[in-house]
Amino acid sequence: MTTIMVTTMIALLLLGFPMMIPLITAAIIGFFIMFDGFGQMGTLIQQMMAGIRPASLIAVPMFILAADIMTRGQSAERLIAMVMSFIGHVKGGLAVSTAASCTLFGAVSGSTQATVVAVGSPLRPKLLKAGYSDSFTLALIINSSDIAFLIPPSIGMIIYGVISGTSIAELFIAGIGPGLLILLMFSIYCVIYATVRKVPTEPKSNWGERLTAVRQALWPLGFPVIIVGGIYGGIFSPTEAAAACVLYAIFLEFLIFRSLKVNDIYAIAKSTGLITAVVFILVAVGNGFSWIISFAQIPQEILAAAGINEAGPTGVLIAICVAFFVACMFVDPIVVILVLTPIFAPAVAATGLDPVLVGILITLQVAIGSATPPFGCDIFTAIAIFKRPYWDVIKGTPPFVCILILAAALLIMFPQIALFLRDVAFR
């Protein structure tokens, strides 16, 4: 049964079908084999509907909507200007500013692809003009945007939290430490690159310009305050924080900045609706698929065959990292989380691993795979936005991927990087 399901999925993927088709086809085949026909097909449909029933998933379209409003407005530009005013003049400062801006916007949007658009579009021309190579610039943008997957809010963490039953609030705060660690590592690499390549520095801003930039960015900086402060201050649940972010984004872009008009609402709503529909279809189909493989005890078979159950906590974490990293090189991150999380759930429970630590490592691996050839989704986002050929986009990625892999290794060796803030807030 396992062989038939996997072969079906691979064949349909190679034929070019969208990911939801291989998933649901494999689930239907598995259901037919297990129950000897389609007489109880309603059970599979019920499982699919159950996948999109959790109230926590309401946060996903809310954060997507908020990110869409901010991307079309001025929030991203103001955050970039503030970061540039403070560190743009140091060696490698423009590249460091790009990484820092991606981190800040990640704390606002929770979407890697929105971050590629919002930060990459204005900063790529500046990086090229300053003397950075196009391959380095593109790799910096798509890999720094992956920090948005770790800094709260994170759509990937929401999906993992719903699938695994892990607290989304704990996942959010646990992602801050790893996100800042990766920012620091990227910044060090940017300084070394600029020094070796002798990239000239940018003009230094005076304190008047810096204060002006900070003043203009104060409103957008309210987003992380709402999300982090609201959740951990006991004011909002993660879902309520997402709704508050939408209201705040509308307030900023329509009333304060006046960067958007009423006529823009239709385009924003349409874009958000399309993305949300894709996400929720994948979640529903993925839940049906996960139910089939769990009912058939396929995860236990796979883990036993691979010897992972006897590997111990560290071995399980390494296996999880490798599996998610490789899978996201070929498949959409949300699908990977939906399919692989239930497979590794028995090993995680058996070894007593902290599900929050596992969630952060999974989120990190998903982020790495999203920017890694051959089919990382952020690569194709960059190709579409910047109109550059595939090879130019991926040529500069290896150093950044190595840095991200090193960050994953540090998380396995020193889990308190992720768990320290979680323990302070919840223990």
Side-chain angles (χ1 to χ4, degrees), residues 98-326:
T98 301
S101 298
C102 288
T103 303
L104 268 180
F105 194 75
V108 169
S109 69
S111 167
T112 60
Q113 291 166 309
T115 306
V116 170
V117 176
V119 178
S121 297
L123 282 182
R124 178 171 171 264
K126 294 182 180 180
L127 287 161
L128 295 176
K129 185 178 180 181
Y132 293 93
S133 69
D134 199 16
S135 60
F136 172 85
T137 298
L138 292 168
L140 172 66
I141 290 169
I142 64 174
N143 284 279
S144 296
S145 297
D146 290 337
I147 301 175
F149 240 90
L150 289 164
I151 297 290
S154 166
I155 293 173
M157 288 182 186
I158 295 172
I159 300 297
Y160 169 81
V162 170
I163 294 298
S164 66
T166 306
S167 166
I168 295 173
E170 292 189 25
L171 287 167
F172 275 5
I173 198 167
I176 295 174
L180 294 178
L181 172 65
I182 294 170
L183 171 60
L184 174 62
M185 296 169 75
F186 278 4
S187 299
I188 293 171
Y189 173 63
C190 290
V191 172
I192 294 172
Y193 179 93
T195 303
V196 172
R197 296 298 182 95
K198 298 180 180 179
V199 178
T201 58
E202 297 291 302
K204 185 176 181 179
S205 301
N206 58 46
W207 279 103
E209 293 170 331
R210 290 174 179 173
L211 289 174
T212 300
V214 170
R215 195 180 306 115
Q216 292 177 341
L218 281 177
W219 283 107
L221 287 173
F223 285 100
V225 173
I226 291 173
I227 296 166
V228 178
I231 292 174
Y232 304 110
I235 302 172
F236 301 127
S237 69
T239 304
E240 292 166 344
C245 280
V246 173
L247 182 62
Y248 190 62
I250 293 172
F251 173 72
L252 281 193
E253 303 296 352
F254 284 90
L255 299 179
I256 302 299
F257 300 156
R258 298 183 183 275
S259 56
L260 298 176
K261 299 179 181 179
V262 175
N263 294 338
D264 296 315
I265 294 177
Y266 174 77
I268 293 171
K270 181 180 178 181
S271 173
T272 300
L274 289 172
I275 297 172
T276 301
V278 171
V279 171
F280 272 58
I281 290 172
L282 287 173
V283 170
V285 173
N287 194 71
F289 180 85
S290 300
W291 176 75
I292 290 291
I293 64 173
S294 298
F295 191 87
Q297 295 192 329
I298 293 175
Q300 289 82 346
E301 293 177 9
I302 293 174
L303 296 176
I308 293 174
N309 286 330
E310 292 76 33
T314 302
V316 171
L317 289 177
I318 293 173
I320 287 172
C321 288
V322 172
F324 277 84
F325 171 65
V326 173

